[in-house]
Amino acid sequence: MLSLIAGALYASALLIVARREDRFGGAPWAALLTCGLTAMRPVWRGTESLVRRLSPGETPAFDRRRSTHRAAAILALLFWAWLLLSATQAPATSVIGPAERLLGLLALTAVYLSVAALGVGWRTERDWRAVLRRLGIRAPGRFDWLAGVCGGIGLFMAASLATALWESAVSPGLFELQTARARDIFESFSGTLLAGASLAFLSALGEETLFRGALQPVFGIPLTAGLFAATHMQYAFTPALLIIFVAGSGFGILRLRLGTGAAIIAHAVYNFIPFMFNILTNQAG
């Protein structure tokens, strides 16, 4: 968690410097922060081409000439590399209680919201109202609620079918091993509906605001969904990452067509359904 917060602080500093090159461009510390932004022109051209080729149904805004977009690309790549490296390490054996997990989730959500707001120009280019417009956040209407709830249920049903196929294709022992870390997180929040709702809403709010609200308009749905899937490394390198990629793409379509609010609702519903089923099953038993 500390390394993630440190990375978020670096991200904030890098994006602010990139937005205020006229003010900070001559400072040595600013040059150190942005040293990779101008020396990788082939990378930027390739990134711009890749974003456009992968997003034929939308118009991503990635522009290799904009320092803020180059900064966001570097930070996304560093974050992705850090997640992949973390996945190769052995999981911690210490037992984390529900209260500690909730505090960690609150901290992570705060980090995601802060990076999203700073990344789109809060306090440098935009006020709060402009930031919310850029992030696609507004009060959801009836159709947003309907699309979000139906989308969340539909994506959950599709994920459940894919998970059943995955479970039938491997041995029971291997399936238990591949889902152990995710099951541990689920069980930590599955005691009450309030705990499950807290996980469902907070994770949906932070992740959708950062990924679909801030990143998707720049990088498009496929690349954003890939980065989103990589943040779920509790599943390691298993078919679950593909399932999450598909779910992230579904949230991305809602963001593109309706706004981030509908994506948040769908994500929260998608997360909450298994907790609801678990509580109802335990009460019936």
Side-chain angles (χ1 to χ4, degrees):
M1 180 60 65
L2 290 177
S3 60
L4 183 57
I5 293 175
L9 292 175
Y10 171 73
S12 303
L14 181 55
L15 288 167
I16 290 173
V17 168
R19 289 186 179 277
R20 293 295 183 88
E21 286 180 323
D22 57 335
R23 181 180 300 181
F24 301 121
W29 58 269
L32 181 63
L33 281 172
T34 60
C35 62
L37 297 183
T38 58
M40 302 169 62
R41 292 180 183 177
V43 174
W44 306 133
R45 286 195 295 268
T47 302
E48 190 175 52
S49 176
L50 180 64
V51 167
R52 291 178 179 176
R53 288 178 180 273
L54 290 178
S55 308
E58 52 184 328
T59 309
F62 183 83
D63 185 350
R64 66 177 184 272
R65 295 166 296 184
R66 295 189 61 179
S67 57
T68 51
H69 289 184
R70 298 196 302 266
I74 285 180
L75 293 167
L77 288 173
L78 289 175
F79 186 48
W80 208 335
W82 175 77
L83 289 167
L84 293 175
L85 180 63
S86 300
T88 63
Q89 299 175 355
T93 56
S94 59
V95 178
I96 302 177
E100 290 82 1
R101 286 198 183 277
L102 181 59
L103 289 175
L105 180 60
L106 285 168
L108 184 60
T109 301
V111 168
Y112 279 0
L113 294 176
S114 300
V115 171
L118 292 169
V120 300
W122 179 56
R123 307 292 293 180
T124 55
E125 290 184 358
R126 295 181 170 98
D127 59 17
W128 268 115
R129 291 182 179 180
V131 165
L132 292 177
R133 286 195 298 271
R134 165 60 181 80
L135 293 174
I137 296 176
R138 56 179 173 80
R142 292 182 179 178
F143 191 74
D144 297 324
W145 282 101
L146 178 62
V149 171
C150 292
I153 293 174
L155 288 170
F156 177 80
M157 293 175 63
S160 298
L161 176 60
T163 301
L165 294 174
W166 167 24
E167 185 175 7
S168 65
V170 299
S171 66
L174 179 58
F175 183 78
E176 289 291 323
L177 180 63
Q178 290 177 334
T179 58
R181 294 177 67 183
R183 189 169 57 253
D184 177 57
I185 295 174
F186 171 78
E187 291 175 353
S188 296
F189 287 92
S190 62
T192 65
L193 282 179
L194 179 59
S198 299
L199 173 63
F201 174 72
L202 289 174
S203 58
L205 176 64
E207 291 174 353
E208 292 307 307
T209 300
L210 176 60
F211 291 101
R212 255 60 67 178
L215 295 179
Q216 181 175 302
V218 176
F219 296 106
I221 291 176
L223 287 179
T224 303
L227 181 61
F228 170 69
T231 63
H232 295 75
M233 279 301 169
Q234 67 267 27
Y235 295 101
F237 299 101
T238 68
L241 291 183
L242 179 59
I243 296 172
I244 295 171
F245 174 84
V246 173
S249 298
F251 301 145
I253 293 173
L254 287 172
R255 160 65 166 115
L256 180 66
R257 302 301 183 189
L258 297 174
T260 306
I264 292 173
I265 293 170
H267 195 156
V269 170
Y270 178 92
N271 287 345
F272 182 66
I273 290 175
F275 294 103
M276 182 181 67
F277 281 163
N278 183 64
I279 294 295
L280 293 177
T281 300
N282 290 338
Q283 290 178 349

